[in-house]
Amino acid sequence: MGSKKTLNRLARRSGFVRRKGKLTAYEFAVLMTVGQLSLKHPSLAAMVQAIEAKLSREALHQRFTPQAVLFMQDCLDEALHQKFTPSKSLNPALLRPFRRVLIFDSSSWDVDPKLKAVLPGSGGGASDANCKLQVGYEFKRGELGFFQVSPGIKPDQAYSPTLPDLVAKDDLALADLGFFKVSTFRQYHDKGAFYLSRFLVRTTICHAATREVIDLGKVLRYVNENVFELSVIMGIDKKEQTPCRLICLRVSEQVANERRRKLLKMAKKKGRTPSQAHLTLCDWTLLITNVPAHLLPATMAYSLYSLRWQIELLFKQLKSIMHIHQSNTGLENRLRCELYGKLLMAVLIHRVHAFFQGELWNSQRREISFDKFHKRFQERAILLLRQCLISIEAAGRFLVREIPCMIKACVKSHQPSRQTTLQRLDLPPDSPLLA
C-alpha cells in the first residue's frame, strides 16, 4: 500500500483529506484492502468495528465521496507503477523466447439495480445493472495490471484497440475471441510483438503466396492429418491485413459433436441455419499466430494457448477469495472504493506469490498453488489487520514470520500422471514428445 507519507500525499492530492479528522488516509486504505479481505460481509458497521475507528457508520458512509474514489484509484496506480521484479521470472522452455507473456480478459457481475444509470446491464432477461472488469496479467512475473471498470454492456472488442499500447517488442499477447480484431493483430506485428488467438471463422483469409481467398471449410474437409497448417494473409482492408500462421488441430468426435449441438442451438435461437462449412469447422480448433514455427511448433500451439486459462483461475480467486463481485451498496462511490481496494490487495498478494513461485520453479521445478496461497492469506487477514492498526512495521514483521509457513503449506505435490501447465510448457520446442 505504500508508506503513510505516500498515502497522505495521495490523499491530499485527491482531496480526500483536507484537514485532520477521525479517519486517516492510512486507516481508510487499510480498511479497503486488508479490512475487506478479513470481513465476510463488509457492512458499514462491520467496517467501523474492524478498524476500531472513533466514528459512526453514518460518518463512514459520508466518506465514500468522489475524492475517496480518486484516492483509492491513485493508491492502486501507485502500486502498479512501483517497479517490482521477482529475482527470477518463470522460465519454462516454451516461454523463453518472449520478454513478457500478457494475458487479457474480462469478467462481469451483476450489481445493485440502483446503479443502472452508471453501470447499465443488458436488461431484459439479464440484470439492469452490471459491472465489467478488464484485466491484464503478465504471467512470467505474476504481475497484475490494466484494470478498467466499465458497464457490463460494453463489449471486449471495444478494448481491443487499446491493447497494443500495453505491448512491446518480443512480448506475447494472449486473448480470447471476444478481443479478436485484425487491426489489433497488425499493430502487434508492426511493433515486433507476438500474438496467439483463436480464429474467428467469419474472418477472410487468403493464401500468403497466391493471395487467393481460402474456403477453409472446403479445404479441411479433405484433410486427413490431425494437425494442419497454412500460411495466410488475414483481413480484407489492405492497411490492416497481416501475415500469420493458421494452425488447425483436429478435436475428438465427442468434442466436435458437442460444438455442433451448441452451434445448432444458437442458430435456432436466432432463426438462422448454420452453413455446412461452419459445421465442418467444428471438427477443428483453429488458432492464428505470428510466432515463427521454430519457436512454436504447431503441435505445441494449443499448450501455449491454454495458458490463457490462468487468467480464468485468477478471476476465480478474485471472486471466491477477494469477493470483488460482492458489495452491499447501491452507491457508485462506495462500490468503486471497495473494488479498487480489493484489486490493490490482489496485486500485493500476487507479488508475494510471484516472488516465491519464480524462486521455487527455477531452482527445483516445483510450484506454489495459486488457490491455496490466496486462502492461507485470507485466513490470516484478521491478524494482519490488527498488526496494520498497530503500525506498518508490525505488519511487516508479521508477514516475514508468516509467509514462509504459508509457502510451505502451498507447495504442489508432484503427480507424475498429471502434468501442470508449467510442466507442459517446459518441453523444448523440438521435443519428440510433441509428435
Side-chain angles (χ1 to χ4, degrees):
M1 288 180 293
S3 65
K4 288 186 177 181
K5 183 178 180 180
T6 298
L7 292 173
N8 287 332
R9 173 177 59 82
L10 296 176
R12 288 193 297 271
R13 187 177 72 184
S14 65
F16 177 66
V17 171
R18 295 177 180 173
R19 59 183 182 274
K20 188 175 181 179
K22 293 181 179 180
L23 184 67
T24 67
Y26 174 72
E27 289 172 333
F28 189 74
V30 167
L31 175 60
M32 292 294 100
T33 52
V34 185
Q36 287 197 97
L37 185 61
S38 69
L39 296 172
K40 189 171 183 180
H41 301 290
S43 63
L44 289 172
M47 290 182 186
V48 170
Q49 185 177 9
I51 59 171
E52 303 171 3
K54 296 179 180 179
L55 76 166
S56 64
R57 57 186 297 279
E58 290 79 10
L60 177 60
H61 171 75
Q62 293 174 4
R63 296 311 305 273
F64 289 108
T65 61
Q67 291 76 21
V69 173
L70 184 57
F71 170 59
M72 289 308 304
Q73 192 168 17
D74 285 348
C75 288
L76 178 59
D77 290 341
E78 180 80 10
L80 293 175
H81 286 94
Q82 285 178 350
K83 296 297 181 182
F84 175 82
T85 304
S87 55
K88 294 179 181 178
S89 61
L90 297 174
N91 67 347
L94 205 61
L95 300 188
R96 288 173 195 161
F98 311 115
R99 189 176 72 94
R100 298 183 299 172
V101 177
L102 297 160
I103 311 173
F104 300 107
D105 206 351
S106 70
S107 184
S108 62
W109 58 91
D110 294 339
V111 293
D112 193 299
K114 295 176 184 176
L115 292 165
K116 65 181 180 180
V118 290
L119 294 171
S122 300
S127 173
D128 289 335
N130 188 273
C131 180
K132 178 177 282 191
L133 176 67
Q134 297 285 343
V135 174
Y137 179 42
E138 204 290 283
F139 179 76
K140 295 182 73 172
R141 294 175 178 81
E143 278 286 286
L144 284 172
F146 180 58
F147 295 120
Q148 294 286 338
V149 180
S150 67
I153 59 172
K154 187 172 183 179
D156 290 340
Q157 200 175 57
Y159 285 96
S160 188
T162 69
L163 301 184
D165 292 336
L166 307 172
V167 175
K169 188 177 184 294
D170 294 327
D171 287 346
L172 171 67
L174 301 174
D176 69 8
L177 277 177
F179 294 86
F180 192 99
K181 200 172 183 65
V182 174
S183 58
T184 297
F185 297 132
R186 178 56 189 255
Q187 290 181 68
Y188 289 150
H189 182 81
D190 291 344
K191 295 185 76 169
F194 302 105
Y195 59 84
L196 176 61
S197 170
R198 294 284 291 269
F199 176 67
L200 191 63
V201 295
R202 63 174 180 266
T203 306
T204 300
I205 51 174
C206 304
H207 284 286
T210 65
R211 298 300 176 103
E212 293 181 2
V213 174
I214 297 173
D215 183 339
L216 190 57
K218 184 176 180 179
V219 170
L220 292 179
R221 203 175 303 150
Y222 300 101
V223 172
N224 296 318
E225 296 87 356
N226 290 328
V227 179
F228 181 70
E229 181 176 338
L230 285 168
S231 294
V232 303
I233 302 294
M234 184 168 54
I236 298 176
D237 190 333
K238 290 185 177 181
K239 293 181 180 180
E240 297 180 352
Q241 285 182 332
T242 182
C244 62
R245 300 163 61 202
L246 174 63
I247 299 172
C248 311
L249 307 171
R250 192 186 298 275
V251 300
S252 68
E253 184 177 356
Q254 180 181 359
V255 171
N257 288 337
E258 178 61 17
R259 288 180 176 179
R260 276 188 277 269
R261 185 191 68 79
K262 289 182 178 179
L263 178 62
L264 290 167
K265 181 180 179 180
M266 183 62 68
K268 183 178 180 180
K269 183 178 180 180
K270 295 184 177 181
R272 301 173 183 172
T273 301
S275 66
Q276 184 58 47
H278 203 163
L279 291 170
T280 299
L281 293 178
C282 290
D283 289 321
W284 301 85
T285 289
L286 307 174
L287 301 171
I288 52 105
T289 185
N290 65 337
V291 180
H294 71 278
L295 297 180
L296 180 62
T299 50
M300 202 61 177
Y302 192 77
S303 291
L304 182 55
Y305 182 73
S306 66
L307 191 61
R308 198 192 68 78
W309 287 103
Q310 295 299 307
I311 203 167
E312 300 292 345
L313 296 176
L314 166 63
F315 282 127
K316 178 183 176 182
Q317 306 312 317
L318 289 176
K319 289 185 175 181
S320 65
I321 307 298
M322 308 303 297
H323 302 299
I324 64 166
H325 65 309
Q326 295 179 2
S327 182
N328 297 322
T329 183
L331 300 176
E332 181 187 8
N333 292 333
R334 180 179 165 186
L335 176 74
R336 289 184 177 271
C337 284
E338 292 179 353
L339 180 54
Y340 291 139
K342 291 170 183 177
L343 293 176
L344 176 54
M345 195 69 220
V347 168
L348 300 178
I349 293 175
H350 274 75
R351 285 183 172 172
V352 176
H353 177 274
F355 180 87
F356 290 97
Q357 172 89 322
E359 287 282 332
L360 198 60
W361 170 261
N362 293 325
S363 62
Q364 302 178 34
R365 285 310 191 249
R366 301 290 301 277
E367 300 174 55
I368 300 169
S369 169
F370 207 48
D371 179 63
K372 289 181 180 178
F373 189 72
H374 268 81
K375 289 177 179 176
R376 299 297 85 79
F377 215 102
Q378 184 189 40
E379 290 169 355
R380 292 164 171 80
I382 188 63
L383 299 175
L384 177 58
L385 175 62
R386 291 170 182 168
Q387 297 302 311
C388 287
L389 294 176
I390 295 172
S391 68
I392 293 178
E393 293 74 21
R397 290 191 295 270
F398 174 81
L399 290 174
V400 168
R401 184 171 66 252
E402 291 295 320
I403 285 176
C405 301
M406 294 163 61
I407 295 297
K408 187 176 180 180
C410 297
V411 175
K412 292 182 179 179
S413 57
H414 181 60
Q415 298 180 347
S417 62
R418 184 181 178 185
Q419 285 188 322
T420 66
T421 298
L422 279 176
Q423 288 172 336
R424 289 194 298 271
L425 294 174
D426 204 33
L427 291 171
D430 57 353
S431 172
L433 294 177
L434 299 180

